[in-house]
Structure formats: C-alpha cells, structure tokens
mmCIF file of all heavy atoms in Angstrom:
data_model
loop_
_atom_site.group_PDB
_atom_site.id
_atom_site.type_symbol
_atom_site.label_atom_id
_atom_site.label_comp_id
_atom_site.label_asym_id
_atom_site.label_seq_id
_atom_site.Cartn_x
_atom_site.Cartn_y
_atom_site.Cartn_z
ATOM 1 N N LYS Z 1 13.625 -5.410 -69.256
ATOM 2 C CA LYS Z 1 12.308 -5.267 -68.674
ATOM 3 C C LYS Z 1 11.306 -6.189 -69.356
ATOM 4 O O LYS Z 1 10.463 -6.817 -68.699
ATOM 5 C CB LYS Z 1 11.851 -3.819 -68.784
ATOM 6 C CG LYS Z 1 10.528 -3.545 -68.090
ATOM 7 C CD LYS Z 1 10.174 -2.082 -68.189
ATOM 8 C CE LYS Z 1 8.830 -1.813 -67.480
ATOM 9 N NZ LYS Z 1 8.466 -0.386 -67.556
ATOM 10 N N GLU Z 2 11.398 -6.288 -70.684
ATOM 11 C CA GLU Z 2 10.488 -7.165 -71.425
ATOM 12 C C GLU Z 2 10.710 -8.629 -71.046
ATOM 13 O O GLU Z 2 9.761 -9.402 -70.950
ATOM 14 C CB GLU Z 2 10.685 -6.971 -72.926
ATOM 15 C CG GLU Z 2 10.239 -5.600 -73.425
ATOM 16 C CD GLU Z 2 10.463 -5.447 -74.919
ATOM 17 O OE1 GLU Z 2 11.017 -6.397 -75.528
ATOM 18 O OE2 GLU Z 2 10.083 -4.405 -75.469
ATOM 19 N N TRP Z 3 11.983 -8.977 -70.829
ATOM 20 C CA TRP Z 3 12.302 -10.361 -70.433
ATOM 21 C C TRP Z 3 11.697 -10.687 -69.075
ATOM 22 O O TRP Z 3 11.114 -11.758 -68.879
ATOM 23 C CB TRP Z 3 13.824 -10.537 -70.395
ATOM 24 C CG TRP Z 3 14.246 -11.914 -69.986
ATOM 25 C CD1 TRP Z 3 14.282 -13.029 -70.758
ATOM 26 C CD2 TRP Z 3 14.706 -12.322 -68.690
ATOM 27 N NE1 TRP Z 3 14.732 -14.115 -70.051
ATOM 28 C CE2 TRP Z 3 14.996 -13.705 -68.766
ATOM 29 C CE3 TRP Z 3 14.904 -11.661 -67.480
ATOM 30 C CZ2 TRP Z 3 15.476 -14.430 -67.676
ATOM 31 C CZ3 TRP Z 3 15.369 -12.378 -66.386
ATOM 32 C CH2 TRP Z 3 15.648 -13.739 -66.495
ATOM 33 N N LEU Z 4 11.812 -9.744 -68.119
ATOM 34 C CA LEU Z 4 11.237 -9.955 -66.788
ATOM 35 C C LEU Z 4 9.720 -10.058 -66.867
ATOM 36 O O LEU Z 4 9.104 -10.901 -66.195
ATOM 37 C CB LEU Z 4 11.639 -8.812 -65.851
ATOM 38 C CG LEU Z 4 13.097 -8.794 -65.383
ATOM 39 C CD1 LEU Z 4 13.380 -7.540 -64.568
ATOM 40 C CD2 LEU Z 4 13.420 -10.041 -64.563
ATOM 41 N N LEU Z 5 9.110 -9.212 -67.680
ATOM 42 C CA LEU Z 5 7.664 -9.271 -67.844
ATOM 43 C C LEU Z 5 7.224 -10.598 -68.438
ATOM 44 O O LEU Z 5 6.189 -11.160 -68.057
ATOM 45 C CB LEU Z 5 7.192 -8.106 -68.723
ATOM 46 C CG LEU Z 5 7.257 -6.705 -68.108
ATOM 47 C CD1 LEU Z 5 6.890 -5.652 -69.149
ATOM 48 C CD2 LEU Z 5 6.320 -6.606 -66.896
ATOM 49 N N SER Z 6 8.041 -11.112 -69.358
ATOM 50 C CA SER Z 6 7.734 -12.406 -69.968
ATOM 51 C C SER Z 6 7.815 -13.530 -68.933
ATOM 52 O O SER Z 6 6.970 -14.438 -68.908
ATOM 53 C CB SER Z 6 8.704 -12.683 -71.119
ATOM 54 O OG SER Z 6 8.485 -13.972 -71.659
ATOM 55 N N ILE Z 7 8.843 -13.476 -68.070
ATOM 56 C CA ILE Z 7 9.002 -14.491 -67.018
ATOM 57 C C ILE Z 7 7.825 -14.443 -66.055
ATOM 58 O O ILE Z 7 7.252 -15.477 -65.683
ATOM 59 C CB ILE Z 7 10.327 -14.278 -66.256
ATOM 60 C CG1 ILE Z 7 11.521 -14.560 -67.173
ATOM 61 C CG2 ILE Z 7 10.382 -15.178 -65.030
ATOM 62 C CD1 ILE Z 7 11.636 -15.986 -67.653
ATOM 63 N N VAL Z 8 7.448 -13.231 -65.638
ATOM 64 C CA VAL Z 8 6.311 -13.066 -64.723
ATOM 65 C C VAL Z 8 5.027 -13.572 -65.357
ATOM 66 O O VAL Z 8 4.203 -14.239 -64.704
ATOM 67 C CB VAL Z 8 6.170 -11.588 -64.295
ATOM 68 C CG1 VAL Z 8 4.872 -11.386 -63.516
ATOM 69 C CG2 VAL Z 8 7.367 -11.155 -63.468
ATOM 70 N N ASP Z 9 4.855 -13.270 -66.632
ATOM 71 C CA ASP Z 9 3.653 -13.711 -67.344
ATOM 72 C C ASP Z 9 3.598 -15.237 -67.423
ATOM 73 O O ASP Z 9 2.534 -15.838 -67.225
ATOM 74 C CB ASP Z 9 3.635 -13.105 -68.749
ATOM 75 C CG ASP Z 9 2.383 -13.507 -69.520
ATOM 76 O OD1 ASP Z 9 1.279 -13.157 -69.075
ATOM 77 O OD2 ASP Z 9 2.532 -14.208 -70.541
ATOM 78 N N GLN Z 10 4.740 -15.868 -67.691
ATOM 79 C CA GLN Z 10 4.777 -17.328 -67.742
ATOM 80 C C GLN Z 10 4.476 -17.938 -66.377
ATOM 81 O O GLN Z 10 3.771 -18.943 -66.273
ATOM 82 C CB GLN Z 10 6.155 -17.798 -68.229
ATOM 83 C CG GLN Z 10 6.443 -17.502 -69.694
ATOM 84 C CD GLN Z 10 7.803 -18.034 -70.123
ATOM 85 O OE1 GLN Z 10 8.207 -19.120 -69.732
ATOM 86 N NE2 GLN Z 10 8.516 -17.253 -70.916
ATOM 87 N N PHE Z 11 5.012 -17.318 -65.321
ATOM 88 C CA PHE Z 11 4.765 -17.804 -63.960
ATOM 89 C C PHE Z 11 3.281 -17.709 -63.627
ATOM 90 O O PHE Z 11 2.691 -18.661 -63.085
ATOM 91 C CB PHE Z 11 5.586 -16.997 -62.953
ATOM 92 C CG PHE Z 11 5.414 -17.457 -61.531
ATOM 93 C CD1 PHE Z 11 6.196 -18.472 -61.022
ATOM 94 C CD2 PHE Z 11 4.458 -16.867 -60.708
ATOM 95 C CE1 PHE Z 11 6.030 -18.899 -59.711
ATOM 96 C CE2 PHE Z 11 4.287 -17.288 -59.396
ATOM 97 C CZ PHE Z 11 5.079 -18.306 -58.896
ATOM 98 N N ASN Z 12 2.693 -16.577 -63.944
ATOM 99 C CA ASN Z 12 1.264 -16.393 -63.689
ATOM 100 C C ASN Z 12 0.420 -17.402 -64.459
ATOM 101 O O ASN Z 12 -0.542 -17.973 -63.926
ATOM 102 C CB ASN Z 12 0.835 -14.962 -64.057
ATOM 103 C CG ASN Z 12 1.341 -13.931 -63.063
ATOM 104 O OD1 ASN Z 12 1.568 -14.232 -61.894
ATOM 105 N ND2 ASN Z 12 1.510 -12.688 -63.528
ATOM 106 N N THR Z 13 0.794 -17.606 -65.715
ATOM 107 C CA THR Z 13 0.046 -18.553 -66.544
ATOM 108 C C THR Z 13 0.160 -19.967 -66.000
ATOM 109 O O THR Z 13 -0.806 -20.735 -66.008
ATOM 110 C CB THR Z 13 0.561 -18.510 -67.993
ATOM 111 O OG1 THR Z 13 0.444 -17.181 -68.508
ATOM 112 C CG2 THR Z 13 -0.221 -19.472 -68.877
ATOM 113 N N ALA Z 14 1.359 -20.322 -65.511
ATOM 114 C CA ALA Z 14 1.603 -21.679 -65.036
ATOM 115 C C ALA Z 14 0.933 -21.962 -63.693
ATOM 116 O O ALA Z 14 0.412 -23.067 -63.478
ATOM 117 C CB ALA Z 14 3.105 -21.936 -64.931
ATOM 118 N N PHE Z 15 0.944 -20.981 -62.773
ATOM 119 C CA PHE Z 15 0.517 -21.265 -61.401
ATOM 120 C C PHE Z 15 -0.660 -20.429 -60.897
ATOM 121 O O PHE Z 15 -1.475 -20.932 -60.123
ATOM 122 C CB PHE Z 15 1.702 -21.065 -60.446
ATOM 123 C CG PHE Z 15 2.861 -21.972 -60.712
ATOM 124 C CD1 PHE Z 15 4.115 -21.448 -60.985
ATOM 125 C CD2 PHE Z 15 2.701 -23.342 -60.701
ATOM 126 C CE1 PHE Z 15 5.183 -22.287 -61.231
ATOM 127 C CE2 PHE Z 15 3.762 -24.194 -60.940
ATOM 128 C CZ PHE Z 15 5.010 -23.664 -61.216
ATOM 129 N N ILE Z 16 -0.762 -19.178 -61.285
ATOM 130 C CA ILE Z 16 -1.749 -18.280 -60.685
ATOM 131 C C ILE Z 16 -3.108 -18.378 -61.366
ATOM 132 O O ILE Z 16 -4.148 -18.468 -60.694
ATOM 133 C CB ILE Z 16 -1.239 -16.818 -60.713
ATOM 134 C CG1 ILE Z 16 0.153 -16.734 -60.073
ATOM 135 C CG2 ILE Z 16 -2.231 -15.909 -59.999
ATOM 136 C CD1 ILE Z 16 0.212 -17.231 -58.645
ATOM 137 N N VAL Z 17 -3.109 -18.353 -62.695
ATOM 138 C CA VAL Z 17 -4.368 -18.397 -63.439
ATOM 139 C C VAL Z 17 -5.118 -19.691 -63.112
ATOM 140 O O VAL Z 17 -4.547 -20.791 -63.152
ATOM 141 C CB VAL Z 17 -4.098 -18.303 -64.960
ATOM 142 C CG1 VAL Z 17 -5.410 -18.461 -65.728
ATOM 143 C CG2 VAL Z 17 -3.434 -16.978 -65.295
ATOM 144 N N ASP Z 18 -6.394 -19.552 -62.762
ATOM 145 C CA ASP Z 18 -7.260 -20.700 -62.444
ATOM 146 C C ASP Z 18 -6.716 -21.547 -61.288
ATOM 147 O O ASP Z 18 -7.030 -22.746 -61.189
ATOM 148 C CB ASP Z 18 -7.461 -21.598 -63.675
ATOM 149 C CG ASP Z 18 -8.207 -20.883 -64.787
ATOM 150 O OD1 ASP Z 18 -9.013 -19.989 -64.477
ATOM 151 O OD2 ASP Z 18 -7.967 -21.229 -65.960
ATOM 152 N N ASP Z 19 -5.884 -20.935 -60.435
ATOM 153 C CA ASP Z 19 -5.317 -21.649 -59.270
ATOM 154 C C ASP Z 19 -4.613 -22.946 -59.675
ATOM 155 O O ASP Z 19 -4.788 -24.000 -59.047
ATOM 156 C CB ASP Z 19 -6.418 -21.968 -58.246
ATOM 157 C CG ASP Z 19 -6.976 -20.718 -57.590
ATOM 158 O OD1 ASP Z 19 -6.251 -19.704 -57.518
ATOM 159 O OD2 ASP Z 19 -8.139 -20.751 -57.150
ATOM 160 N N ARG Z 20 -3.803 -22.862 -60.726
ATOM 161 C CA ARG Z 20 -3.154 -24.073 -61.207
ATOM 162 C C ARG Z 20 -2.088 -24.597 -60.247
ATOM 163 O O ARG Z 20 -1.653 -25.755 -60.365
ATOM 164 C CB ARG Z 20 -2.535 -23.803 -62.593
ATOM 165 C CG ARG Z 20 -3.608 -23.664 -63.675
ATOM 166 C CD ARG Z 20 -3.062 -23.192 -64.987
ATOM 167 N NE ARG Z 20 -4.167 -22.936 -65.926
ATOM 168 C CZ ARG Z 20 -4.131 -22.048 -66.898
ATOM 169 N NH1 ARG Z 20 -3.047 -21.310 -67.089
ATOM 170 N NH2 ARG Z 20 -5.168 -21.878 -67.680
ATOM 171 N N TRP Z 21 -1.673 -23.753 -59.300
ATOM 172 C CA TRP Z 21 -0.733 -24.215 -58.290
ATOM 173 C C TRP Z 21 -1.309 -25.356 -57.457
ATOM 174 O O TRP Z 21 -0.565 -26.153 -56.856
ATOM 175 C CB TRP Z 21 -0.335 -23.056 -57.364
ATOM 176 C CG TRP Z 21 -1.505 -22.383 -56.696
ATOM 177 C CD1 TRP Z 21 -2.223 -21.333 -57.164
ATOM 178 C CD2 TRP Z 21 -2.104 -22.738 -55.441
ATOM 179 N NE1 TRP Z 21 -3.239 -20.990 -56.295
ATOM 180 C CE2 TRP Z 21 -3.183 -21.838 -55.219
ATOM 181 C CE3 TRP Z 21 -1.836 -23.714 -54.495
ATOM 182 C CZ2 TRP Z 21 -3.993 -21.901 -54.084
ATOM 183 C CZ3 TRP Z 21 -2.636 -23.781 -53.360
ATOM 184 C CH2 TRP Z 21 -3.696 -22.882 -53.163
ATOM 185 N N LYS Z 22 -2.644 -25.486 -57.438
ATOM 186 C CA LYS Z 22 -3.271 -26.556 -56.668
ATOM 187 C C LYS Z 22 -2.936 -27.939 -57.231
ATOM 188 O O LYS Z 22 -2.975 -28.933 -56.500
ATOM 189 C CB LYS Z 22 -4.784 -26.351 -56.624
ATOM 190 C CG LYS Z 22 -5.212 -25.152 -55.783
ATOM 191 C CD LYS Z 22 -6.722 -25.039 -55.713
ATOM 192 C CE LYS Z 22 -7.138 -23.853 -54.837
ATOM 193 N NZ LYS Z 22 -8.616 -23.716 -54.756
ATOM 194 N N TYR Z 23 -2.635 -28.000 -58.540
ATOM 195 C CA TYR Z 23 -2.210 -29.284 -59.109
ATOM 196 C C TYR Z 23 -0.903 -29.748 -58.448
ATOM 197 O O TYR Z 23 -0.695 -30.945 -58.232
ATOM 198 C CB TYR Z 23 -2.009 -29.163 -60.618
ATOM 199 C CG TYR Z 23 -3.283 -28.972 -61.411
ATOM 200 C CD1 TYR Z 23 -3.517 -27.802 -62.118
ATOM 201 C CD2 TYR Z 23 -4.248 -29.964 -61.450
ATOM 202 C CE1 TYR Z 23 -4.684 -27.610 -62.850
ATOM 203 C CE2 TYR Z 23 -5.423 -29.791 -62.181
ATOM 204 C CZ TYR Z 23 -5.634 -28.617 -62.871
ATOM 205 O OH TYR Z 23 -6.795 -28.445 -63.589
ATOM 206 N N ILE Z 24 -0.032 -28.788 -58.135
ATOM 207 C CA ILE Z 24 1.241 -29.115 -57.499
ATOM 208 C C ILE Z 24 1.030 -29.537 -56.051
ATOM 209 O O ILE Z 24 1.601 -30.537 -55.589
ATOM 210 C CB ILE Z 24 2.211 -27.912 -57.579
ATOM 211 C CG1 ILE Z 24 2.485 -27.533 -59.043
ATOM 212 C CG2 ILE Z 24 3.523 -28.240 -56.864
ATOM 213 C CD1 ILE Z 24 3.158 -28.587 -59.853
ATOM 214 N N THR Z 25 0.205 -28.790 -55.318
ATOM 215 C CA THR Z 25 -0.021 -29.133 -53.909
ATOM 216 C C THR Z 25 -0.754 -30.473 -53.769
ATOM 217 O O THR Z 25 -0.437 -31.270 -52.883
ATOM 218 C CB THR Z 25 -0.826 -28.026 -53.206
ATOM 219 O OG1 THR Z 25 -2.062 -27.799 -53.904
ATOM 220 C CG2 THR Z 25 -0.027 -26.726 -53.175
ATOM 221 N N LYS Z 26 -1.732 -30.697 -54.653
ATOM 222 C CA LYS Z 26 -2.414 -31.991 -54.637
ATOM 223 C C LYS Z 26 -1.445 -33.116 -54.982
ATOM 224 O O LYS Z 26 -1.454 -34.183 -54.353
ATOM 225 C CB LYS Z 26 -3.575 -31.994 -55.633
ATOM 226 C CG LYS Z 26 -4.351 -33.310 -55.676
ATOM 227 C CD LYS Z 26 -5.454 -33.266 -56.715
ATOM 228 C CE LYS Z 26 -6.180 -34.620 -56.772
ATOM 229 N NZ LYS Z 26 -7.270 -34.613 -57.805
ATOM 230 N N GLY Z 27 -0.596 -32.862 -55.964
ATOM 231 C CA GLY Z 27 0.401 -33.856 -56.347
ATOM 232 C C GLY Z 27 1.381 -34.137 -55.227
ATOM 233 O O GLY Z 27 1.783 -35.293 -55.008
ATOM 234 N N LEU Z 28 1.774 -33.097 -54.488
ATOM 235 C CA LEU Z 28 2.683 -33.282 -53.362
ATOM 236 C C LEU Z 28 2.047 -34.170 -52.294
ATOM 237 O O LEU Z 28 2.692 -35.080 -51.760
ATOM 238 C CB LEU Z 28 3.058 -31.925 -52.765
ATOM 239 C CG LEU Z 28 3.909 -31.942 -51.484
ATOM 240 C CD1 LEU Z 28 5.236 -32.648 -51.734
ATOM 241 C CD2 LEU Z 28 4.126 -30.527 -50.978
ATOM 242 N N GLY Z 29 0.779 -33.916 -51.984
ATOM 243 C CA GLY Z 29 0.087 -34.750 -51.000
ATOM 244 C C GLY Z 29 0.008 -36.205 -51.444
ATOM 245 O O GLY Z 29 0.245 -37.121 -50.649
ATOM 246 N N ASN Z 30 -0.319 -36.425 -52.721
ATOM 247 C CA ASN Z 30 -0.393 -37.797 -53.237
ATOM 248 C C ASN Z 30 0.969 -38.471 -53.246
ATOM 249 O O ASN Z 30 1.077 -39.675 -52.979
ATOM 250 C CB ASN Z 30 -0.988 -37.793 -54.645
ATOM 251 C CG ASN Z 30 -2.481 -37.551 -54.652
ATOM 252 O OD1 ASN Z 30 -3.163 -37.778 -53.654
ATOM 253 N ND2 ASN Z 30 -3.009 -37.074 -55.765
#
C-alpha cells in the first residue's frame, strides 16, 4: 500500500501539481 501511495504521489507531483502535464502537451504540439 505504501508503494502504491508513493507511485501515486510521484505521478501527482510530476503531472497534476501546477498543471505540469501542460509541458507535455505543449511539447507534443511543438
């Protein structure tokens, strides 16, 4: 359970927080 929580936390930090997923979508368009 702790491992899954860690994975979810890393995912959120990488993409969800501050809408960081937009860097990927902008990069895809470019």
Side-chain angles (χ1 to χ4, degrees):
K1 185 177 180 180
E2 292 180 357
W3 179 80
L4 287 175
L5 289 174
S6 176
I7 293 296
V8 172
D9 181 62
Q10 290 182 40
F11 181 87
N12 287 333
T13 302
F15 299 122
I16 307 302
V17 176
D18 295 331
D19 292 334
R20 288 171 186 151
W21 56 270
K22 291 183 179 180
Y23 291 115
I24 300 297
T25 56
K26 180 182 178 181
L28 175 60
N30 286 338

